Amino acid sequence: MLFEYTRRRGIRSPVTDAPTFRVGKLAQARTADHTGIDVSHLIDRSYNYHSSRELHWHLADRLGLAPAAVMVREAAAAA
């Protein structure tokens, strides 16, 4: 399953002092038979992710799938 997300600015992590981000919108990516279904309700959008890898693992866990079955990419910015 391929998911696309839009990034919102987060805060600096109090633990690692690294920048974080929040997910603005999460959608199942468009395919020949799907039209980009909004699935933002599957995650806590107030959570501050440290990386897209963390989001990837979170989604796999949430959906009960092996991490290899889930792909995550940041949606292209609108021009």
Side-chain angles (χ1 to χ4, degrees), residues 24-53:
K25 181 180 177 182
L26 179 69
Q28 189 171 359
R30 295 172 200 240
T31 60
D33 54 345
H34 290 92
T35 57
I37 302 163
D38 185 356
V39 292
S40 300
H41 63 280
L42 294 178
I43 62 169
D44 177 2
R45 292 185 358 190
S46 67
Y47 181 79
N48 292 301
Y49 289 94
H50 288 81
S51 66
S52 60
R53 185 176 181 193

Side-chain angles (χ1 to χ4, degrees), residues 57-73:
W57 282 87
H58 183 159
L59 275 172
D61 182 62
R62 182 82 168 150
L63 297 171
L65 298 171
V70 176
M71 294 187 323
V72 177
R73 70 178 178 208

